[in-house]
Amino acid sequence: MQDPSLEGRRVYGRAELRRLLEPQSVALVGASANPASLGGRTLANLAAFPGRLYAVNPKSAMVGERQAWPSVSALPEAPDCVVLAIPQESVEAVVAECAQRGAGAVIVLASGYAELEQAEGAEAQARLLALARPAGMRIVGPNCVGVANRAHGLHAAFAEFSPSVLEPGRRIGLVAQSGALGLSLSHGAERGMAISHVLTCGNSCDVDVADYVAALAEDPGCDVIALTFEGLADPQRLLDAARRARAAGKRIAVCKLGLSEAGRAAARFHTHTAAGDPAMWQRLFREGGMVQVERIEALMETAAFLAKAPAALAHAASGSAARPSAPVGSGSASVDAASASGPGVAIVSGSGGTGILALDAAARHGVPTPQPQSATTDRLRATVPAFGSPRNPCDATAQATRNPESLLECADAMLADPGYGALVIPWGRSQPPRLLAGLGTLSQRHGKPICVVWMSQRLEGPAGEEVQRHPQLALFHSLDACMAALAAWLAPDAEGSGLLDHA
Amino acid sequence: MQDPSLEGRRVYGRAELRRLLEPQSVALVGASANPASLGGRTLANLAAFPGRLYAVNPKSAMVGERQAWPSVSALPEAPDCVVLAIPQESVEAVVAECAQRGAGAVIVLASGYAELEQAEGAEAQARLLALARPAGMRIVGPNCVGVANRAHGLHAAFAEFSPSVLEPGRRIGLVAQSGALGLSLSHGAERGMAISHVLTCGNSCDVDVADYVAALAEDPGCDVIALTFEGLADPQRLLDAARRARAAGKRIAVCKLGLSEAGRAAARFHTHTAAGDPAMWQRLFREGGMVQVERIEALMETAAFLAKAPAALAHAASGSAARPSAPVGSGSASVDAASASGPGVAIVSGSGGTGILALDAAARHGVPTPQPQSATTDRLRATVPAFGSPRNPCDATAQATRNPESLLECADAMLADPGYGALVIPWGRSQPPRLLAGLGTLSQRHGKPICVVWMSQRLEGPAGEEVQRHPQLALFHSLDACMAALAAWLAPDAEGSGLLDHA
């Protein structure tokens, strides 16, 4: 249970979390040479830290080939960040020692706090905060798996978050209250996502997801934020953090857990924070200009899309009275209720069937798919074979797979049409490099996003990874997830579009 | 455009399609030694055919190192199945020759028929049928990619459908009107799906998806049917075929394209068949006991689940007046509107967050997730750590990943509870072999399905593939797809459950 006194504090920003997320020195209490142990796994993850790393172990002067220190008090400096890979019963004394020594932050991995049914757990958790707060020391957790900040070389976690190739312009800062989800989502790095941070907070007795969002908003090492959480002691802090992100031009994709009644009840048991009702959260996300994602499997691809899509989400976060709207991906828009106002989405496919599937998905999410202007149709007709279709969706036929230039010509024609704000290409096989390069150029030239939707049941492979790593092209594994993201991206403003409001 | 005279004919069954799908002899007209050509690719796919294979090429006595025949008329026997890998303008004469020679079936790959805007295309297609019908010869296509029947060693297609390891009990017969979707979905074999057949029919001038379903119903080489299509000349034939499948104890998962208004219009352009309105199709699927899948990416996993799930779908196909219901996966059930009647779904997870996500997905699809009986709670409490949760969802904590026996004990307790008809396990990492073996044994002992839902953004890998290849355990990549499938599977009957009727 979070300390009620927390509810009034301001959100921590980058400055308040700098010693945690950008430390010059890290101490690991419970460091172990046993690679299977909690302390051994955490030490292995920390080994590449380029700053000063201190192994603390009262039982041994060496941990493997590394010098060990008997205690935090005995360290030659006040460490910025201390990771406690020790049993619950030892945590409180060491937290007190860290506060005394002047540490900047403590990450508590141990469980056995507010997530317990017994009041003792919540009380123990409150005592940790009471020790830290007067010293100005941050606490992460308890009951968490740790954090990683790749640009800083920091992997202060026992979970093996997947390493990532960081490419500016599409770096995703991942914020997950749940350590298990943080780990699972971090695996996206293995198929080409640039994940700059993985920040978990578990019971969130002090630092919570709102603080992480605010810190990432101010960190130039991250371009977009992916957020998933169960509950917050003070939802207003998340709104403050979201406004900082907007001010920095960073978008936020959010998947909120526990929106069903049963889910809310389970969340109360799990983290003892009020899960809130869905309408409140949807209103808050809308006010903060956040893009709500219904299904967790679409969170990272939606974030990656938001990082790559040109221009600003200029429409949201306009004020206090925005109506609640359906979350992205809920498919709750009336079929065919798409508004005719505003730009629509063009579809270019290599088969008739996938184009029709794309239309169906667009209809489920209220995305308009108008027909092209006559000049566009003329260009398409000059390229598409007679057995294809020069309409929207444009069936460029299997010719498109043999002759990338024909697909590029269709894409250029559609993107040049003022009726369209984005292009969707259902695809599922290897692309010649010149096709991807050509599509990237077209996206930049027209200032409109291109989404490639992977239709193959071969879920991974170099073909999809090349799209994921591309600086302009977005990859989705679901037409519905793609159309839901485009619905949010195309909505002209928070209040008036109607695109997200068919409940 | 399909010949109106077809609308009255009976559905073709296995007997009527035997020379097509289980041929003793196959001729390839347009066989080529150029591996990049249509005829060369098709020849490569046919090369492993264990029966008599005839290369036909009027320009050469040899195709590579294979003897070639100058024409179908010159073959030493009337071939069961003839594949035409030749340009559209040559097709009609060869179809006439095949009919004359007594061939059993002709597969026409060429485009340029009813999918054209001009009436000439539909007329040319009608002439093909007029040539074949009096001779009792079947036509597949035109404008299709061909068929494969793996148990028979037949890959009569230019598309490279992925080969599959066939294991009785979970063999999926895939029927796709669209060749592109047939190909994309066949790739599921590469991650462990047992795909026995890939049957495409393109323009469907003669053989259509209903005929394929009826043939698979009667083919012991297939256990379950995955179906996707745009339109049918005679929907009643599909109902007849579905009833044959039910009589054979085979379930059908169906993803219908073109259910949105825009999608229907595009389908009319694409295959010139009436797409029908969504309510009509939902009623028909319900009457036929078919499980409708909304999102194409869930079709194959839903079919694989239906093949593995114990017992019969005893509830559906009860009569003529079933109400239309929302398709599986539409998420249109009111949140928390789950009926309390009938068995619910138990959830056992290794983290609190994934359990809550599972509850949310269950609510979206109207799946009840009741709390366990007190005896079950007692068993869970004896196993789950104090920082976990002995409820539904059961958070067995990360301990479950280190100690598979604790997860198996929780699973056994849940499956023994009469309140549950199925168990869902969100998961995302490697499993010790004894865990999968133990879960399989539990599923069999209790006669209830276990679904593993893959939560990792590492979409593929040996861990998921082991689940996919397991004879009892079902794998999903989406909690929503899993819960949608369970909603259909648990519904006690077509009319009264209410589970699928919250529109």
Side-chain angles (χ1 to χ4, degrees), chain B residues 52-405:
Chain B
R52 298 179 297 282
L53 176 62
Y54 301 104
V56 176
N57 190 322
K59 298 178 191 161
S60 168
M62 298 291 285
V63 171
E65 299 185 348
R66 187 184 294 274
Q67 178 190 0
W69 303 79
S71 68
V72 171
S73 304
L75 293 178
E77 66 175 314
D80 283 336
C81 175
V82 184
V83 185
L84 304 194
I86 54 178
Q88 192 269 347
E89 53 271 23
S90 308
V91 166
E92 192 167 325
V94 179
V95 167
E97 190 187 354
C98 289
Q100 176 72 25
R101 186 68 183 87
V106 173
I107 299 174
V108 182
L109 305 180
S111 300
Y113 291 91
E115 79 280 8
L116 298 184
E117 290 187 41
Q118 299 78 13
E120 292 77 23
E123 291 162 9
Q125 185 168 308
R127 287 197 300 275
L128 298 185
L129 187 63
L131 289 167
R133 184 57 55 85
M137 185 176 81
R138 304 283 98 84
I139 296 193
V140 173
N143 191 25
C144 80
V145 304
V147 302
N149 177 359
R150 297 298 185 182
H152 200 75
L154 180 73
H155 188 164
F158 77 88
E160 290 184 48
F161 306 134
S162 298
S164 195
V165 176
L166 300 181
E167 289 166 59
R170 59 181 193 86
R171 295 163 302 181
I172 303 170
L174 168 60
V175 175
Q177 184 175 8
S178 156
L181 286 177
L183 175 61
S184 293
L185 297 172
S186 85
H187 294 157
E190 297 170 23
R191 54 186 182 92
M193 293 177 183
I195 301 176
S196 57
H197 301 73
V198 185
L199 308 180
T200 78
C201 50
N203 288 12
S204 310
C205 82
D206 177 22
V207 176
D208 66 14
V209 294
D211 301 314
Y212 284 147
V213 169
L216 291 177
E218 297 165 352
D219 187 337
C222 145
D223 302 298
V224 71
I225 298 164
L227 167 64
T228 179
F229 70 103
E230 293 174 36
L232 271 175
D234 179 5
Q236 185 64 37
R237 270 213 301 273
L238 179 57
L239 194 52
D240 293 346
R243 287 178 173 145
R244 292 196 200 191
R246 287 188 60 76
K250 296 182 190 178
R251 294 154 179 167
I252 303 170
V254 56
C255 180
K256 171 73 176 70
L257 279 61
L259 289 178
S260 65
E261 192 177 299
R264 287 202 293 283
R268 273 193 296 276
F269 279 118
H270 186 227
T271 49
H272 290 259
T273 49
D277 74 281
M280 185 280 285
W281 286 111
Q282 287 169 21
R283 196 164 50 235
L284 184 144
F285 297 148
R286 178 57 82 89
E287 283 184 33
M290 307 166 81
V291 173
Q292 192 179 356
V293 178
E294 186 180 64
R295 299 184 178 194
I296 192 76
E297 63 266 29
L299 176 64
M300 298 302 285
E301 291 186 339
T302 302
F305 159 75
L306 292 173
K308 293 175 180 179
L313 253 178
H315 55 279
S318 56
S320 56
R323 283 169 293 162
S325 62
V328 160
S330 68
S332 57
S334 310
V335 171
D336 303 321
S339 161
S341 68
V345 167
I347 300 156
V348 176
S349 71
S351 85
T354 53
I356 293 166
L357 283 169
L359 283 183
D360 288 345
R364 281 195 287 271
H365 299 282
V367 172
T369 49
Q371 287 307 314
Q373 296 185 345
S374 62
T376 308
T377 304
D378 291 344
R379 281 186 69 184
L380 296 177
R381 202 180 296 277
T383 302
V384 171
F387 55 95
S389 174
R391 297 180 188 80
N392 190 26
C394 172
D395 175 5
T397 81
Q399 164 187 294
T401 67
R402 292 188 296 276
N403 174 9
E405 278 65 31

Side-chain angles (χ1 to χ4, degrees), chain A residues 115 117 184 187 190-191 258 260-261 269 294 297 336 360 364 391 456-460 478, chain B residues 115 184 187 190-191 258 260-261 269 294-295 297 336 360 364 387 391 456-460 478:
Chain A
E115 78 280 9
E117 289 186 43
S184 293
H187 293 157
E190 298 171 21
R191 53 187 183 91
S260 65
E261 191 178 299
F269 278 118
E294 186 181 65
E297 63 266 28
D336 302 321
D360 288 345
R364 282 195 286 270
R391 297 181 188 80
S456 171
Q457 283 288 301
R458 182 189 293 147
L459 300 179
E460 291 194 353
S478 159
Chain B
E115 79 280 8
S184 293
H187 294 157
E190 297 170 23
R191 54 186 182 92
S260 65
E261 192 177 299
F269 279 118
E294 186 180 64
R295 299 184 178 194
E297 63 266 29
D336 303 321
D360 288 345
R364 281 195 287 271
F387 55 95
R391 297 180 188 80
S456 170
Q457 284 288 304
R458 182 188 292 147
L459 300 179
E460 290 194 356
S478 159

Side-chain angles (χ1 to χ4, degrees), chain A residues 231-444:
Chain A
L232 272 175
D234 180 6
Q236 185 63 36
R237 271 213 301 273
L238 180 57
L239 194 53
D240 293 346
R243 287 179 174 142
R244 293 196 199 191
R246 288 188 60 75
K250 297 181 189 179
R251 295 157 179 166
I252 303 170
V254 57
C255 180
K256 170 74 176 69
L257 279 59
L259 289 179
S260 65
E261 191 178 299
R264 287 202 295 282
R268 273 192 297 275
F269 278 118
H270 187 227
T271 49
H272 291 259
T273 49
D277 73 280
M280 185 281 282
W281 286 111
Q282 287 167 22
R283 196 165 49 237
L284 185 142
F285 297 148
R286 179 57 82 89
E287 283 183 33
M290 309 167 80
V291 173
Q292 192 180 355
V293 178
E294 186 181 65
R295 300 184 178 194
I296 191 76
E297 63 266 28
L299 176 63
M300 298 302 285
E301 291 187 338
T302 301
F305 160 77
L306 292 173
K308 294 176 180 180
L313 253 179
H315 56 279
S318 55
S320 57
R323 285 168 291 163
S325 62
V328 160
S330 69
S332 59
S334 309
V335 171
D336 302 321
S339 161
S341 70
V345 167
I347 299 155
V348 175
S349 71
S351 84
T354 53
I356 294 167
L357 283 168
L359 283 183
D360 288 345
R364 282 195 286 270
H365 299 282
V367 172
T369 50
Q371 287 306 315
Q373 295 184 345
S374 61
T376 308
T377 305
D378 291 345
R379 281 185 68 185
L380 296 177
R381 203 182 295 278
T383 300
V384 171
F387 54 94
S389 172
R391 297 181 188 80
N392 190 25
C394 171
D395 174 7
T397 81
Q399 163 186 296
T401 66
R402 291 187 297 275
N403 176 9
E405 278 66 30
S406 73
L407 186 63
L408 291 172
E409 168 62 14
C410 294
D412 189 32
M414 289 299 216
L415 290 166
D417 190 316
Y420 302 119
L423 173 64
V424 171
I425 304 179
W427 205 251
R429 58 191 103 195
S430 297
Q431 304 90 3
R434 70 182 187 280
L435 176 59
L436 292 190
L439 289 174
T441 301
L442 289 176
S443 175
Q444 283 189 300

